[in-house]
């Protein structure tokens, strides 16, 4: 089918508001193909989660399933377990010893397969290395790594000894790394000499050294050797991973962790300039990821799972490290870019390893769509049996393309809504049960009480509003590291004792959820969360900038992109040169993901009489809408001038 024909078909299908029932042969073999899980959870939510928790190995069973003192929840209290034991030890005892755990491909093409037995040995040894270097239960360990198996080994080793990890995405700048090391107060950093991305070298240790100049608290740095990248080794502080491992003892007793002991911190952007360290604990989190990995992906022993996320984001934590490994899965881990050396790299990998379950982001799907059908068509993708999507709303057109061109029309698609804060998938189809509709994440996972509220806190049966979670769930965040007030303020203030997700959503006549995107000052660029305030502070940090206001604008591929309105100080010249300087400045302060797509210079910004910038008006301008209420503006002529400038700049 030609592209034109395909789009015509897609539009036609959309007009029909198509439903896709689970294919019969998929359904017949699915782990769940009836309402039983939903019924169980509806009858007794806690009994449902207890049943899910029984899928883990506990050293000591819990006394109480839930202690709820809003907004603080404790799950499975009194229970003792270890996450690395659940991901490794129990499998090597249960006959999976020589099953492939991670099949890794480096971007340049190297391949490594680590069995559960290999992973077990590496994790045990590395846990002993950490202990020997003085890392103790409760110490935070920061990672700044490429996508190599040692990252998974490292975090599991931390989990084994009870040292919470804080993984910082390797694409973040030294400045961003520094802030996260300070906030977590980490004394140990684990990094690599470098990694590969689109044929380029990411000089991670070099960048880490820049951050470390301002991190005197870091006493120990461990460097994994990925390539032959030049670097500086600081005597006494820096250690090579492979040297430490040569002398390591083979077995490390897994620390019996309390169910509510901290498993990890993961920094994410919120509505202020300061990233927040989201806290996840052990028993509830492991229960959530174990259950959702199994049932959302219909994961069976013979499956080959591939989640294309980076472990630097929550998707990689939950659906590369903990969920699949707790389930004893075989999975693919790939280091690099989807278009290196060519635009069929992902499909080559799917074919080569016979991937059966594939989980990626809408941004990637839209890029594949744009690159054209010829790339996937070069490969045999017949091993695929289920496709997943996460990170941003998927537009129906991309959904249909994914379904037809990648899934050959035979694979159910699970569009999964969740967040760093929720720890695990919250709204999703169950592939053997739910009839799916392109663009909708459908209904809550069993045991999850999602709803849509209006401004007053009334549930909206059909129509739009704010997405909320009404009851605590096991994998929920336990707080923001070092800032309990912000935790309450951010998530629990809008409605009493109800978790407000920060997303807008609508519910259709079938009761299906359509997540529309953020309603706060967070922009979702290619599925990565960026706070407008963070970009604004990076901009005003530059000597030329007097003031800035950052908003998200729609973007064909990225979903959203960053647009910055900037007023500059006297003595600087507006124009292309300064625009580039400012874009580079943001990249340097935060990282390439936050780089503004567009900078609009302006003599002034629309403000209320009390001096607050009216971002809503900027969004109206950027999206070419009629201007909303302008009566509170201090100077109404500002917006007309801005509108003209915006049109000149972006040709809107
Ligand atoms: C958005 C990523 C629509 C949403 C797992 C959420 C989605 C934010 C979906 C969390 C989806 C995630 N449909 N929007 N299926 N999945 N989002 O913390 O705005 O990086 O609040 O977690 O991504 O992003 P985060």
């Amino acid at each position: 089918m030609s592209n034109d024909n395909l789009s015509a078909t897609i539009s036609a299908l959309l007009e029909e508001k198509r439903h896709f029932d689970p294919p019969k042969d998929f359904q017949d073999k699915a782990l769940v193909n009836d309402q039983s899980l939903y019924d169980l959870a509806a009858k007794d939510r806690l009994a449902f989660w207890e049943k899910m928790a029984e899928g883990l190995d506990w050293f000591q069973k819990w006394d109480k399933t839930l202690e709820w003192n809003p907004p603080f929840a404790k799950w499975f209290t009194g229970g003792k377990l270890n996450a690395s034991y659940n991901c490794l030890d129990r499998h090597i005892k249960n006959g999976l010893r020589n099953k492939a755990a991670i099949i890794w491909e480096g971007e340049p093409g190297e391949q490594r397969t680590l069995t559960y037995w290999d992973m077990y040995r590496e994790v045990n040894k590395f846990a002993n290395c950490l202990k020997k270097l003085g890392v103790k239960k409760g110490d935070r360990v920061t990672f700044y790594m490429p996508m190599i198996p040692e990252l998974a080994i490292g975090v599991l080793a931390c989990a084994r000894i009870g040292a919470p990890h804080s993984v910082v995405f390797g694409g973040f700048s030294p400045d961003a790394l520094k802030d996260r090391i300070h906030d977590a107060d980490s004394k140990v950093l684990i990094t690599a000499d470098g990694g590969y991305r689109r044929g380029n070298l990411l000089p991670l240790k070099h960048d880490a050294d820049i951050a470390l100049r301002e991190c005197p608290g870091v006493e120990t740095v461990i460097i994994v050797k990925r390539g032959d990248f030049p670097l500086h080794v600081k005597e006494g502080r820096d250690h090579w991973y492979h040297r430490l491992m040569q002398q390591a003892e083979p077995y490390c007793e897994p620390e019996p962790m309390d169910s509510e002991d901290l498993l990890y911190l993961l920094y994410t952007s919120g509505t202020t300039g300061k990233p927040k360290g989201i806290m996840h604990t052990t028993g509830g989190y492991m229960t959530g990821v174990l259950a959702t990995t199994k049932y959302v992906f219909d994961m069976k022993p013979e499956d080959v799972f591939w989640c294309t996320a980076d472990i630097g984001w929550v998707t990689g934590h939950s659906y590369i490290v903990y969920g699949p490994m707790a389930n004893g899965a075989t999975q693919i881990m790939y280091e690099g870019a989807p278009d290196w050396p060519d635009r069929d790299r992902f499909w080559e990998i799917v074919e080569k390893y016979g991937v059966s379950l594939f989980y990626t982001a809408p941004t990637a799907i839209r890029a594949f769509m744009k690159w054209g059908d010829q790339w996937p068509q070069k490969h045999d993708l017949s091993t695929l049996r289920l496709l997943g999507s996460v990170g941003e709303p998927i537009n129906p057109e991309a959904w249909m393309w994914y379904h037809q061109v990648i899934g050959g029309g035979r694979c159910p698609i699970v569009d999964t809504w969740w967040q760093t804060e929720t720890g695990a998938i919250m709204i999703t189809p169950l592939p053997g049960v739910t009839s799916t509709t392109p663009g909708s994440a459908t209904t809550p996972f069993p045991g999850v009480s999602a709803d849509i509220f209006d401004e007053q806190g009334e549930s909206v049966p059909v129509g739009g509003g704010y997405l909320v979670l009404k009851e605590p769930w096991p994998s929920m965040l336990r707080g923001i590291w070092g800032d309990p007030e912000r935790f309450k303020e951010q998530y629990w203030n809008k409605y009493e004792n109800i978790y407000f997700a920060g997303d807008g959503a609508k519910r259709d006549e079938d009761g299906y959820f359509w997540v529309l995107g953020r309603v706060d000052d967070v922009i979702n660029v290619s599925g990565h969360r960026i706070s407008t305030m963070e970009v604004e502070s990076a901009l005003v940090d530059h000597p030329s900038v007097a003031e800035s206001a950052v908003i998200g604008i729609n973007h064909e591929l990225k979903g959203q992109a960053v647009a910055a309105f900037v007023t500059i100080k006297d003595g600087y010249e507006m124009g292309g040169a300064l625009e580039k300087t400012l874009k580079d400045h943001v990249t340097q302060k935060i990282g390439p993901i936050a780089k503004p797509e567009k900078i609009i210079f302006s003599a002034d910004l629309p403000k209320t009489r009390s001096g607050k910038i009216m971002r809503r008006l900027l969004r109206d301008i950027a999206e070419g809408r009629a201007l909303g209420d302008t009566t509170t503006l201090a100077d109404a002529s500002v917006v007309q001038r801005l509108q003209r400038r915006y049109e000149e700049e972006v040709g809107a």
Side-chain angles (χ1 to χ4, degrees):
M1 200 184 279
S2 79
N3 258 339
D4 281 355
N5 284 342
L6 187 59
S7 358
T9 320
I10 290 172
S11 324
L13 291 176
L14 290 180
E15 275 157 29
E16 288 176 37
K17 194 172 168 264
R18 287 276 301 246
H19 273 271
F20 293 85
D21 290 333
K24 173 110 184 35
D25 54 333
F26 185 100
Q27 190 166 42
D28 286 347
K29 294 183 215 126
L31 293 174
V32 197
N33 47 21
D34 58 22
Q35 293 295 316
S36 52
L37 286 187
Y38 293 108
D39 290 345
L40 174 61
K43 200 167 123 239
D44 188 342
R45 195 171 55 90
L46 295 186
F48 169 79
W49 285 120
E50 282 164 11
K51 190 173 148 131
M52 296 299 116
E54 281 159 12
L56 293 168
D57 280 23
W58 296 78
F59 299 142
Q60 188 180 306
K61 198 169 170 189
W62 60 90
D63 308 315
K64 220 163 170 243
T65 305
L66 170 67
E67 288 176 35
W68 178 222
N69 296 306
F72 298 101
K74 289 184 178 165
W75 282 87
F76 310 116
T77 48
K80 295 221 181 289
L81 77 168
N82 182 285
S84 103
Y85 183 94
N86 274 282
C87 291
L88 300 167
D89 306 45
R90 65 171 180 163
H91 303 318
I92 62 158
K93 291 179 188 159
N94 289 349
L96 300 183
R97 184 172 296 204
N98 285 310
K99 185 180 182 194
I102 294 181
I103 302 175
W104 175 81
E105 237 190 58
E107 195 187 69
E110 322 91 303
Q111 184 189 319
R112 279 168 71 188
T113 300
L114 290 112
T115 61
Y116 274 95
W117 183 235
D118 292 328
M119 287 296 290
Y120 171 82
R121 276 188 305 222
E122 296 295 296
V123 168
N124 271 281
K125 274 165 56 184
F126 191 55
N128 281 328
C129 297
L130 291 172
K131 270 188 162 170
K132 212 165 167 187
L133 287 163
V135 181
K136 288 191 284 298
K137 182 175 171 186
D139 292 348
R140 279 83 51 208
V141 175
T142 298
F143 287 81
Y144 189 54
M145 293 275 282
M147 277 287 283
I148 55 178
E150 284 73 13
L151 176 50
I153 292 167
V155 301
L156 288 169
C158 284
R160 195 162 189 91
I161 63 172
H165 50 80
S166 163
V167 182
V168 178
F169 173 55
F172 274 124
S173 69
D175 250 27
L177 173 62
K178 175 196 75 187
D179 291 345
R180 287 157 175 76
I181 291 176
H182 283 172
D183 192 84
D185 194 14
S186 293
K187 294 183 180 58
V188 180
L189 174 70
I190 302 175
T191 184
D193 51 352
Y196 290 96
R197 185 81 194 176
R198 213 162 271 126
N200 294 319
L201 160 75
L202 293 177
L204 288 164
K205 174 60 164 66
H206 170 268
D207 285 357
D209 280 336
I210 300 174
L212 288 173
R213 277 187 222 140
E214 292 173 70
C215 299
V218 173
E219 294 156 4
T220 305
V221 176
I222 300 172
I223 318 159
V224 179
K225 193 166 162 53
R226 160 78 185 95
D228 246 330
F229 307 136
L231 55 87
H232 171 74
V233 175
K234 186 170 167 184
E235 235 20 81
R237 185 195 66 185
D238 298 358
H239 307 263
W240 283 105
Y241 175 92
H242 58 276
R243 297 245 173 88
L244 296 172
M245 290 291 270
Q246 274 161 11
Q247 291 147 22
E249 292 291 322
Y251 180 71
C252 171
E253 189 77 27
E255 186 73 31
M257 301 291 281
D258 196 275
S259 177
E260 280 300 330
D261 277 339
L262 190 61
L263 178 60
Y264 68 78
L265 296 179
L266 183 60
Y267 284 85
T268 187
S269 292
T271 49
T272 73
K274 194 173 173 285
K276 36 189 187 181
I278 301 300
M279 294 162 66
H280 282 294
T281 56
T282 311
Y285 175 80
M286 290 302 291
T287 299
V289 298
L290 178 85
T292 50
T293 304
K294 181 167 173 183
Y295 294 115
V296 173
F297 301 109
D298 188 48
M299 188 177 275
K300 310 218 178 72
E302 63 274 20
D303 275 310
V304 179
F305 181 68
W306 185 17
C307 164
T308 69
D310 190 292
I311 295 177
W313 308 108
V314 74
T315 305
H317 281 61
S318 299
Y319 299 105
I320 296 178
V321 180
Y322 291 110
M325 295 203 59
N327 277 289
T330 293
Q331 65 180 320
I332 306 299
M333 181 172 175
Y334 169 59
E335 177 186 36
D339 54 351
W340 190 267
D342 244 322
R343 290 174 162 177
D344 60 344
R345 183 64 183 269
F346 273 20
W347 317 125
E348 185 186 284
I349 293 176
V350 168
E351 180 174 21
K352 186 164 164 194
Y353 303 106
V355 172
S356 57
L357 314 172
F358 180 72
Y359 192 34
T360 197
T363 293
I365 298 166
R366 287 191 292 265
F368 298 139
M369 224 173 129
K370 191 170 160 222
W371 295 341
D373 300 3
Q374 69 274 24
W375 299 104
Q377 275 164 3
K378 279 166 72 168
H379 297 278
D380 176 5
L381 306 181
S382 60
T383 52
L384 289 172
R385 66 179 194 90
L386 173 139
L387 304 172
S389 171
V390 61
E392 355 148 31
I394 180 164
N395 45 312
E397 200 193 354
W399 195 105
M400 286 305 304
W401 184 87
Y402 198 28
H403 179 71
Q404 298 193 327
V405 180
I406 304 304
R410 73 183 178 277
C411 305
I413 294 183
V414 289
D415 173 6
T416 61
W417 176 86
W418 60 294
Q419 311 178 292
T420 306
E421 291 87 341
T422 70
I425 294 168
M426 296 281 108
I427 303 181
T428 177
L430 286 188
V433 183
T434 315
S435 171
T436 56
T437 293
S440 167
T442 73
T443 55
F445 187 77
V448 172
S449 334
D451 203 343
I452 295 176
F453 275 12
D454 66 13
E455 204 62 60
Q456 283 70 45
E458 294 292 325
S459 175
V460 178
V462 177
Y466 300 108
L467 185 54
V468 296
L469 298 166
K470 294 192 292 191
E471 301 285 352
W473 64 100
S475 63
M476 70 193 275
L477 77 167
R478 298 302 195 264
I480 296 177
W481 180 248
D483 205 345
E485 280 315 305
R486 190 174 174 198
F487 170 63
K488 290 186 199 158
E489 228 266 339
Q490 184 105 51
Y491 306 105
W492 306 93
N493 240 3
K494 194 166 176 70
Y495 308 110
E496 204 183 334
N497 300 343
I498 300 273
Y499 175 85
F500 168 54
D503 279 315
K506 70 170 188 176
R507 185 160 30 201
D508 68 16
E509 287 79 10
D510 303 326
Y512 279 19
F513 286 72
W514 299 70
V515 181
L516 305 169
R518 305 291 306 191
V519 292
D520 53 10
D521 292 328
V522 174
I523 313 179
N524 192 331
V525 181
S526 303
H528 302 318
R529 283 164 64 170
I530 295 167
S531 116
T532 56
M533 296 263 288
E534 230 175 318
V535 183
E536 285 166 11
S537 24
L539 283 166
V540 295
D541 174 77
H542 193 268
S544 68
V545 177
E547 218 172 18
S548 83
V550 167
I551 57 164
I553 52 173
N554 294 332
H555 189 278
E556 195 196 342
L557 287 180
K558 301 177 184 172
Q560 282 195 299
V562 175
F565 291 83
V566 167
T567 65
I568 56 171
K569 293 184 187 151
D570 289 344
Y572 288 91
E573 205 178 315
M574 307 196 239
L578 186 56
E579 176 165 1
K580 177 166 187 314
T581 306
L582 293 180
K583 285 182 177 173
D584 290 347
H585 189 69
V586 176
T587 306
Q588 188 212 322
K589 295 298 288 183
I590 308 174
I593 50 165
K595 181 173 168 177
E597 185 80 15
K598 194 72 220 158
I599 289 185
I600 301 109
F601 293 107
S602 149
D604 27 32
L605 296 171
K607 289 194 190 141
T608 60
R609 285 180 198 95
S610 59
K612 251 187 106 189
I613 297 177
M614 293 178 73
R615 282 193 183 68
R616 177 178 54 77
L617 285 181
L618 296 175
R619 278 194 286 269
D620 287 345
I621 293 173
E623 280 162 18
R625 274 196 299 268
L627 293 182
D629 184 11
T630 56
T631 48
T632 50
L633 266 182
D635 173 3
S637 64
V638 169
V639 288
Q640 276 103 42
R641 285 203 296 277
L642 257 179
Q643 231 166 357
R644 273 202 302 277
R645 274 222 58 82
Y646 188 79
E647 282 160 16
E648 276 163 33
E649 284 282 341
V650 296

